[in-house]
Amino acid sequence: MESLNQPVRSSDGPTAETDASALAPLDDLAIVLDGGGARAVYQVGLLRWLARRYPNLRFPIITGVSAGAINAAFLASHQGSFSDAVAELSHLWTNLSVDQVFRVDARSLLGNLWHWGVRLVSGGGTVAPPLRGLVDTEPLRRTLATALAAGAGGEMTGIARNLASKKLVGLAVVTSSYTTGRTVAWVQGHNIQDWERPFRHSKQARLTVDHVVASSALPLLFPAVKLEGAWYGDGGIRLITPFSAAIHMGANRLLACSTKYPRTAADADRPQVSGYPPPAQIAGQLLNAIFLDDHERDALTLSRINWLLADRPPERRHGLRVLDLVFVRPSRNLGRLAGDFEPCLPWMLRHLLRSAGARATTNPDLLSLLMFDQGYLKALMEIGEADAEAHAQRIDGLLKSSSAPPGR
């Protein structure tokens, strides 16, 4: 973990529980949670550390994409204290199994593969079955509907209550439109203006479970979700500026959590496969490039803009502002760790992943996205807690900083 925005205002933080009165009072603090499938539980480790240190912490601005949208929606809709919310979120993840995310029985998995095969050889004929995802994610919808206390139409009613009590400024759940090819940030919040960019824009909505399921719908693997007459999938597909939603919503201080391990130069040059790369190796690299690499680039861009603005007076910054960012990343390779838990997967899913070459690579990132095994999830949570503890001073400095100007 590191802070890419220097200097982050920090101080020697306490080693035990910290009272919320020590935190900055402005509503400009945001938490930004990215994707990574099962690896999103790493973020819960960071949240658990925060809950012990700041049990009454409040994140007024929350954004989430892909599996990170699950954590974001849970925090934004929970009615209790921060520590209570994190405890319940931790319980959800540590008791999660793969069959609560998608169907893993042989009939479902082989049936979907059969439909894909028939469709591919049909030449687009009308008799071929329509293609959705490779797996059936109806279990995920049911799991989230229960966890997020969804009301009529799947609406997460806790968000509106937290907005009314001013506990929350806004939540953004990011999706990708398969209909238009643009990134859409679905926003529910107070006095937040819509934004429009060439490949991305925001849209006001009363957020539902379907928005979260759409944001976490891994392309091709998970079926797309229909929202307001159009089809949407994973929000990380072309999200080139992952921090933009939080900044547009008024954030001046950002705590961002990525699930991508920052490999050293030696690691990057070390071969991960021997011989021709199997589909699992190629798919893992594609998913990392699509969903996680942009967080690194956006953080670097933000730090450079901060550096350029630092010596300019506010009236000459053309509306730009200096932002504080603490960027949390795993200290261990979460993809490689997933290989240790591969035998724990249901046999049919394990068989299909092995057929795709998941065991032929030393860095099975594709496997890690689908590794909803309790042992793996608990290991990731522990890594997240340890990483947060190792850099407590920087996080304390971000949370207690109050010199940033109001941004909304």
Side-chain angles (χ1 to χ4, degrees):
M1 182 184 75
E2 64 180 2
S3 170
L4 294 177
N5 177 24
Q6 300 290 348
V8 169
R9 293 178 289 273
S10 61
S11 60
D12 293 331
T15 58
E17 178 182 302
T18 304
D19 189 86
S21 62
L23 303 180
L26 299 177
D27 280 346
D28 67 342
L29 175 65
I31 187 166
V32 180
L33 303 172
D34 77 355
R39 288 187 289 186
V41 76
Y42 171 81
Q43 301 166 354
V44 183
L46 167 67
L47 294 172
R48 283 175 55 162
W49 180 87
L50 285 169
R52 286 198 308 270
R53 199 172 185 89
Y54 300 99
N56 296 311
L57 177 64
R58 182 173 67 93
F59 284 105
I61 300 169
I62 303 174
T63 72
V65 59
S66 193
I70 298 173
N71 295 332
F74 197 98
L75 292 177
S77 62
H78 194 275
Q79 295 295 283
S81 67
F82 179 69
S83 60
D84 289 341
V86 172
E88 293 183 25
L89 182 60
S90 175
H91 181 268
L92 170 66
W93 278 102
T94 53
N95 289 278
L96 193 66
S97 58
V98 66
D99 59 350
Q100 293 175 287
V101 180
F102 54 86
R103 291 182 58 185
V104 292
D105 57 283
R107 180 177 179 179
S108 177
L109 291 176
L110 294 178
N112 285 338
L113 286 175
W114 169 258
H115 288 161
W116 275 72
V118 171
R119 186 71 181 182
L120 289 174
V121 301
S122 70
T126 57
V127 296
L131 294 182
R132 303 287 183 173
L134 279 170
V135 296
D136 180 356
T137 56
E138 184 58 30
L140 175 62
R141 187 186 304 274
R142 293 195 298 266
T143 299
L144 292 181
T146 300
L148 298 172
E155 181 182 349
M156 297 176 287
T157 55
I159 297 174
R161 295 193 186 99
N162 287 334
L163 288 170
S165 67
K166 303 190 183 304
K167 177 181 177 181
L168 181 69
V169 169
L171 167 68
V173 172
V174 184
T175 63
S176 295
S177 172
Y178 291 141
T179 306
T180 66
R182 301 180 73 192
T183 296
V184 180
W186 301 85
V187 179
Q188 185 172 353
H190 274 314
N191 301 322
I192 296 174
Q193 296 182 351
D194 285 328
W195 60 90
E196 180 83 23
R197 296 293 184 271
F199 297 107
R200 53 188 168 88
H201 67 101
S202 65
K203 199 167 187 177
Q204 303 284 335
R206 295 184 73 88
L207 295 176
T208 68
V209 170
D210 279 348
H211 291 92
V212 180
V213 176
S215 181
S216 55
L218 293 169
L220 300 180
L221 292 175
F222 291 5
V225 178
K226 199 170 188 179
L227 300 171
E228 299 186 4
W231 292 96
Y232 292 86
D234 198 301
I237 291 178
R238 65 183 315 168
L239 183 60
I240 58 175
T241 53
F243 304 144
S244 65
I247 296 170
H248 281 294
M249 293 166 71
N252 291 307
R253 297 174 293 151
L254 295 89
L255 177 59
C257 187
S258 175
T259 61
K260 182 183 178 183
Y261 170 69
R263 293 189 296 167
T264 64
D267 275 340
D269 290 336
R270 186 176 296 117
Q272 299 175 8
V273 293
S274 176
Y276 192 83
Q281 171 70 5
I282 298 172
Q285 290 192 11
L286 282 174
L287 292 172
N288 273 338
I290 292 171
F291 299 130
L292 302 177
D293 288 358
D294 286 322
H295 286 75
E296 307 283 339
R297 287 191 288 269
D298 207 18
L300 181 59
T301 299
L302 188 152
S303 68
R304 286 174 172 172
I305 293 175
N306 280 349
W307 182 80
L308 291 173
L309 294 176
D311 295 330
R312 299 176 69 89
E315 63 272 13
R316 297 189 60 194
R317 292 177 179 176
H318 305 287
L320 300 176
R321 60 189 190 270
V322 176
L323 304 173
D324 280 351
L325 169 68
V326 172
F327 191 30
V328 182
R329 295 177 295 179
S331 59
R332 293 183 60 187
N333 189 324
L334 306 186
R336 186 171 300 167
L337 181 63
D340 297 337
F341 295 88
E342 185 263 356
C344 301
L345 287 173
W347 74 272
M348 178 53 70
L349 178 61
R350 184 173 69 246
H351 177 75
L352 293 176
L353 289 171
R354 287 180 178 180
S355 299
R359 300 185 73 184
T361 172
T362 60
N363 195 44
D365 284 321
L366 175 63
L367 178 65
S368 69
L369 268 65
L370 305 176
M371 183 55 68
F372 294 97
D373 170 74
Q374 292 183 12
Y376 181 65
L377 299 178
K378 290 178 180 177
L380 297 195
M381 202 174 297
E382 291 171 358
I383 295 171
E385 288 185 90
D387 289 346
E389 176 62 33
H391 295 83
Q393 187 174 3
R394 289 183 174 179
I395 297 175
D396 287 337
L398 179 77
L399 298 181
K400 295 176 182 178
S401 171
S402 60
S403 60
R408 290 195 299 124

